[in-house]
Amino acid sequence: MNDPFPARRPGREEGPGPRGLPGTPRRPPLSRKQPGRPPPRDARRLISAPRGPQAESRVRREGGDGMGRGPRDAGRPSRRLLRFLLLFSLARSATGAPGADVLDVCATCHEHATCQERQGKKFCICNYGFIGNGRIQCVDKNECQFGATVVCGNHTSCHNTLGGFYCICLEGFQATNNNKTFIPNDGTFCKDIDECEVSGLCRHGGRCVNTHGSFECYCMDGYLPKNGPEPFHPARDATSCTEIDCGTPPEVSNGYIIGNYTSRLGSQVRYACREGFFSDPEDTVSSCTALGMWEFPKLYCQEITTEISNVSVFNNTCIRWQIIPGRMHSTTVYVIYIKGQRLDPVESAHVKTVNLTTGSWTPEVCLELYQGANYTVSISTAPPGRSVPAIIEFQTAEDDLLKDGIFSISIFNETCLKLKRHSRRVGSERMYQFQVLGQRWYLDNFYHATSFNFTTRERAPVVCLHLYPATDYTVNVTLLVSPGQHSEQITVTTAPAVKQIISNISVFNDTCLRWRSKKIADLEEMYLFHIWGWRWYQEEFAQEMVFNITTSSWAPEICLDLQPGTNYNVSLLALSSERPVLVSLTTEITEPPLPEVEFFTVHGGPLPRLRLRKIKEKNGPISSYQVLVLPLALQSTFPCDSERATSFFSNTTDADGYVAAELLAKDVPDDAMEISVGDRLYYGKYYNAPLKRGNDYCIILRITSEWNKVRRCSCAVWAQVKGSSITLQQMVGVGLGSVAAVILLAFLSFSAV
């Protein structure tokens, strides 16, 4: 952090104060004897006046008062002369006439001031850390008045001292110089103390988490907090971490635990039903949770009242079974669940539930089932009876009455077709004609057409087609038989390619992308772009774009319309591919917007206060605002991003100008603030020195944006000063000082007569 208010340094000064103000510890000028000049007549009379009682009475007889005063008429010319000499001396001093400063100026300097001599003139300057005129006043400058964060940095407290200050880190932080106090001009700042480096800080079973300026404690996995909150602080809370113990697992009616177990976190207990009972599922698991409790098992053991066995199929669609009743019932209700699928997948599945009520110990039922289909049949007793379901799988016989030449088509493995020909003649050779037409919904000019013949003796041949990904196809298949033809049609939609067709994607020219495409030759491809943009320094900023392009190029390129100084994520998807490609890029910052200033031209008069307005961060984060003082001759040739202008004290000549003030962007209010050029204050590390009288200056406001090692600037001329004068504040101070001097001298003149 730059030091906006460095500590007191010997030999540094803030500039000369007003000259010759009343109250300085010196004798009035008129009371001094000038070399080679005789004292006034009245003064000689006072010097040679006789002493003693006789002289005193003689003076009183002559109209005196014993204090050196004569008659009223006799002293009137002397008083007029004295007033004239006082006013004449004051005028000569104010105009800077030669010989006006007859005093030993250095002898009048304040105890906290230093005497300086420049261009043959002596003046008093308050030492660093003090402000005033250098002679009658040098008061301590409170560097802490701007706040500890501005002066000392974050997480600090600022303490003013006579002529200086020092900084202390807040609790939970320590200075990087490892001292209790510090001055920030050596780069020292307050860093967080990682209290968690101390082992055992959070007691047994506790886990320490460092926070900004402090720390928090949490219980480790396998431990629970007791006697206090979580998170907790060992110096404030009585919380302790105890190891999780779920205790004895819950019992299950008519069930038991299989094997051994522990009661610690993550332990599992497996249950099963006792003999004569069943549950669906037959066993289940209970785990010890982080709450210190077992999960309640989902096992529900029911008594078996009927046992179903020896299930068999007869007459193609009929089923019989036997029962061993656990308890005698006059009749039993059976639930028969049927699920079937024909060998021809084009036909729909067959799902059905049948109830059967009978008192037989060998029940049987004939079902209405499809021919040539695979079935799974589950048999169980309905409540209140309970039984373990019995399951049987079988296949019904195929119908032989289908006519020759009729066939069906089904999709097999996405791009393969399975043909099922229904014929009583086995081994006869048949020819199929395929006509394939594919289109992509997102491409108007995309067509994929092909045709071929296929001959086979199989009744259910499989034909795999060469199809493009992400394409809608219509396949027409014709069985060429004499005397007629039978055709079937099916639609196939291929999935996007699993293999990525985009490769070697790269960024060029900051906002442009290029990549290689592994698409099919001479075919167009559509690419979908989804772009998200954000800025860390501008939370309200969000940019999202969605668009697509179509191209047949093998090496496409595109330049995106992106904002400067922004982070972007770009998702690029070829619609014939399954997965997008992600790429991140960051655009460079550009010049910040031009400063909004009200231009002034000053000809020898006082400088007005300049109004600084904060600008929006459109092209990148704003880092700082700088006020530059340049010779007027450099206005047209000074490059805005030049770093030749340094601080006032580093500027040995006036050729390059200097930086009078620097304000960080975070310290500039949202509305506006005023700056007075030459107010002798520090802004950042730069001293705002008074302008030299009689010189021509150009005042420039420069806005700087820095990000990712890139620096951009914009400048505006704020004011032109020709024949520079003192500022309005300085003018008021000099005027008030002159008035006070006149009043004091007039008072002294009246007192002297």
Side-chain angles (χ1 to χ4, degrees):
M1 165 177 162
N2 292 331
D3 180 17
F5 305 98
R8 180 175 185 180
R9 300 189 185 97
R12 297 288 301 272
E13 65 280 340
E14 295 192 8
R19 302 174 48 166
L21 294 184
T24 54
R26 63 183 178 88
R27 305 173 71 182
L30 292 179
S31 64
R32 293 194 176 186
K33 294 182 180 180
Q34 303 297 328
R37 181 182 300 175
R41 179 178 300 174
D42 293 344
R44 289 197 299 268
R45 179 187 300 176
L46 293 175
I47 294 172
S48 62
R51 296 293 183 266
Q54 294 179 353
E56 181 178 355
S57 61
R58 184 173 68 249
V59 170
R60 291 185 179 180
R61 286 196 303 267
E62 294 176 359
D65 55 1
M67 298 297 291
R69 297 188 181 92
R72 184 184 305 269
D73 293 339
R76 186 172 299 169
S78 298
R79 287 197 298 270
R80 291 177 181 173
L81 178 59
L82 180 60
R83 292 173 186 171
F84 173 77
L85 291 176
L86 288 173
L87 293 175
F88 178 74
S89 175
L90 176 63
R92 288 170 63 86
S93 175
T95 58
D101 192 359
V102 297
L103 300 178
D104 184 5
V105 176
C106 294
T108 66
C109 291
H110 194 273
E111 62 176 327
H112 296 304
T114 303
C115 188
Q116 299 280 329
E117 181 175 354
R118 294 181 184 175
Q119 298 179 355
K121 295 182 180 181
K122 297 180 180 180
F123 49 86
C124 300
I125 299 179
C126 290
N127 295 335
Y128 184 81
F130 296 86
I131 56 175
N133 58 19
R135 300 180 73 176
I136 64 171
Q137 186 183 40
C138 282
V139 297
D140 176 56
K141 177 181 178 181
N142 184 9
E143 291 85 354
C144 297
Q145 63 180 324
F146 298 98
T149 302
V150 175
V151 180
C152 298
N154 295 327
H155 318 299
T156 61
S157 62
C158 182
H159 301 268
N160 186 55
T161 62
L162 187 63
F165 71 99
Y166 63 89
C167 304
I168 296 179
C169 293
L170 298 178
E171 184 178 0
F173 298 86
Q174 66 180 10
T176 54
N177 65 358
N178 295 322
N179 295 329
K180 184 177 181 181
T181 64
F182 67 93
I183 301 298
N185 59 1
D186 63 353
T188 302
F189 61 93
C190 293
K191 64 178 182 179
D192 176 57
I193 299 175
D194 187 0
E195 295 84 355
C196 295
E197 292 180 353
V198 179
S199 60
L201 190 63
C202 294
R203 307 188 186 109
H204 177 69
R207 174 174 56 90
C208 182
V209 176
N210 187 51
T211 62
H212 213 50
S214 185
F215 67 97
E216 293 178 341
C217 293
Y218 296 82
C219 289
M220 295 189 299
D221 293 341
Y223 290 81
L224 285 178
K226 288 189 177 181
N227 303 323
E230 186 186 29
F232 61 92
H233 196 287
R236 180 184 62 245
D237 304 312
T239 306
S240 61
C241 297
T242 59
E243 190 173 4
I244 294 175
D245 188 344
C246 291
T248 303
E251 294 184 356
V252 174
S253 178
N254 300 314
Y256 63 97
I257 296 175
I258 303 174
N260 299 323
Y261 65 89
T262 64
S263 58
R264 300 303 182 192
L265 178 65
S267 298
Q268 290 185 333
V269 174
R270 186 174 298 277
Y271 292 86
C273 290
R274 300 183 186 278
E275 186 176 357
F277 295 84
F278 79 99
S279 176
D280 187 16
E282 293 185 357
D283 59 76
T284 187
V285 173
S286 175
S287 299
C288 179
T289 68
L291 298 178
M293 298 183 298
W294 291 98
E295 294 176 339
F296 195 82
K298 300 178 181 179
L299 190 69
Y300 178 57
C301 296
Q302 307 174 69
E303 184 181 3
I304 299 175
T305 58
T306 302
E307 182 178 350
I308 301 174
S309 62
N310 298 330
V311 182
S312 60
V313 179
F314 64 100
N315 291 342
N316 195 29
T317 62
C318 299
I319 300 174
R320 69 164 59 96
W321 63 91
Q322 294 179 350
I323 64 169
I324 303 175
R327 297 178 182 175
M328 295 300 297
H329 293 282
S330 56
T331 58
T332 302
V333 178
Y334 297 92
V335 178
I336 305 171
Y337 177 73
I338 305 168
K339 183 177 181 181
Q341 178 68 53
R342 286 192 173 184
L343 299 179
D344 183 357
V346 177
E347 300 292 339
S348 60
H350 183 203
V351 178
K352 188 176 182 180
T353 301
V354 175
N355 291 337
L356 173 65
T357 302
T358 179
S360 174
W361 287 25
T362 57
E364 27 178 79
V365 61
C366 290
L367 307 172
E368 295 181 1
L369 306 178
Y370 293 158
Q371 302 297 320
N374 293 321
Y375 281 95
T376 299
V377 178
S378 173
I379 306 170
S380 61
T381 57
R386 292 181 293 274
S387 65
V388 178
I391 299 175
I392 186 172
E393 296 178 349
F394 60 94
Q395 179 179 336
T396 58
E398 187 176 355
D399 188 359
D400 292 334
L401 301 179
L402 295 176
K403 296 182 179 180
D404 189 20
I406 298 177
F407 68 97
S408 57
I409 309 175
S410 61
I411 300 175
F412 180 75
N413 286 347
E414 188 182 36
T415 60
C416 299
L417 300 180
K418 186 174 184 179
L419 309 179
K420 178 65 180 297
R421 178 164 57 93
H422 307 285
S423 174
R424 289 173 293 180
R425 290 178 290 180
V426 179
S428 58
E429 188 176 80
R430 291 291 181 263
M431 179 180 289
Y432 298 89
Q433 184 183 64
F434 287 77
Q435 293 179 329
V436 182
L437 178 62
Q439 289 182 294
R440 289 178 175 171
W441 61 269
Y442 53 89
L443 294 175
D444 295 334
N445 300 323
F446 179 89
Y447 293 96
H448 179 210
T450 183
S451 62
F452 61 91
N453 293 335
F454 176 73
T455 302
T456 181
R457 293 179 178 273
E458 298 180 10
R459 292 184 58 190
V462 175
V463 180
C464 292
L465 307 174
H466 180 61
L467 305 180
Y468 294 161
T471 307
D472 299 325
Y473 284 94
T474 300
V475 181
N476 189 76
V477 183
T478 302
L479 178 58
L480 304 177
V481 294
S482 181
Q485 298 178 350
H486 178 71
S487 298
E488 292 286 340
Q489 190 177 82
I490 191 172
T491 58
V492 178
T493 299
T494 55
V498 176
K499 186 177 180 180
Q500 183 60 258
I501 70 169
I502 298 175
S503 63
N504 299 335
I505 187 168
S506 61
V507 181
F508 68 99
N509 291 344
D510 199 32
T511 62
C512 299
L513 298 177
R514 65 163 62 98
W515 63 94
R516 297 286 296 178
S517 177
K518 300 178 183 178
K519 66 180 186 62
I520 302 170
D522 301 327
L523 292 181
E524 284 189 336
E525 181 61 84
M526 178 177 285
Y527 299 93
L528 176 64
F529 288 82
H530 197 165
I531 302 173
W532 299 270
W534 76 95
R535 292 172 173 172
W536 62 266
Y537 57 89
Q538 196 173 12
E539 294 182 357
E540 67 275 10
F541 178 86
Q543 184 183 11
E544 183 175 4
M545 295 185 291
V546 179
F547 62 92
N548 57 66
I549 63 171
T550 301
T551 178
S552 58
S553 173
W554 287 65
E557 294 182 356
I558 184 173
C559 291
L560 306 173
D561 183 17
L562 305 180
Q563 297 292 326
T566 307
N567 297 314
Y568 285 95
N569 282 338
V570 180
S571 171
L572 175 58
L573 173 67
L575 293 189
S576 64
S577 181
E578 185 179 44
R579 296 173 297 169
V581 174
L582 298 178
V583 62
S584 298
L585 58 91
T586 300
T587 56
E588 278 194 2
I589 59 175
T590 58
E591 287 74 12
L594 289 175
E596 299 178 2
V597 298
E598 183 179 354
F599 177 74
F600 292 96
T601 300
V602 181
H603 294 275
L607 289 176
R609 293 178 65 84
L610 303 179
R611 190 172 180 84
L612 173 61
R613 297 180 178 87
K614 194 169 188 176
I615 65 169
K616 294 184 178 180
E617 298 175 309
K618 294 182 179 180
N619 303 328
I622 302 301
S623 303
S624 64
Y625 297 77
Q626 287 184 335
V627 180
L628 308 181
V629 178
L630 307 176
L632 186 59
L634 295 181
Q635 176 178 333
S636 59
T637 60
F638 179 76
C640 183
D641 58 353
S642 172
E643 297 184 3
R644 290 187 303 172
T646 59
S647 66
F648 173 75
F649 295 110
S650 301
N651 182 25
T652 57
T653 66
D654 295 335
D656 297 331
Y658 61 91
V659 180
E662 181 181 60
L663 297 171
L664 299 181
K666 64 182 180 64
D667 296 329
V668 178
D670 292 336
D671 46 6
M673 65 179 293
E674 292 185 346
I675 296 179
S676 180
V677 176
D679 61 5
R680 299 182 179 178
L681 297 178
Y682 274 88
Y683 294 86
K685 64 180 180 180
Y686 297 101
Y687 176 63
N688 189 5
L691 302 182
K692 293 184 178 180
R693 300 183 184 181
N695 291 357
D696 296 341
Y697 292 99
C698 172
I699 310 300
I700 292 179
L701 175 61
R702 177 164 68 186
I703 300 177
T704 302
S705 178
E706 292 184 273
W707 191 39
N708 280 355
K709 300 181 180 180
V710 177
R711 180 175 178 267
R712 296 287 185 267
C713 302
S714 63
C715 296
V717 179
W718 215 346
Q720 289 181 346
V721 183
K722 298 181 179 179
S724 61
S725 178
I726 56 178
T727 65
L728 186 59
Q729 289 179 326
Q730 295 170 331
M731 193 171 188
V732 172
V734 171
L736 293 176
S738 299
V739 172
V742 170
I743 294 173
L744 178 62
L745 292 175
F747 173 76
L748 293 175
S749 67
F750 280 109
S751 299
V753 295

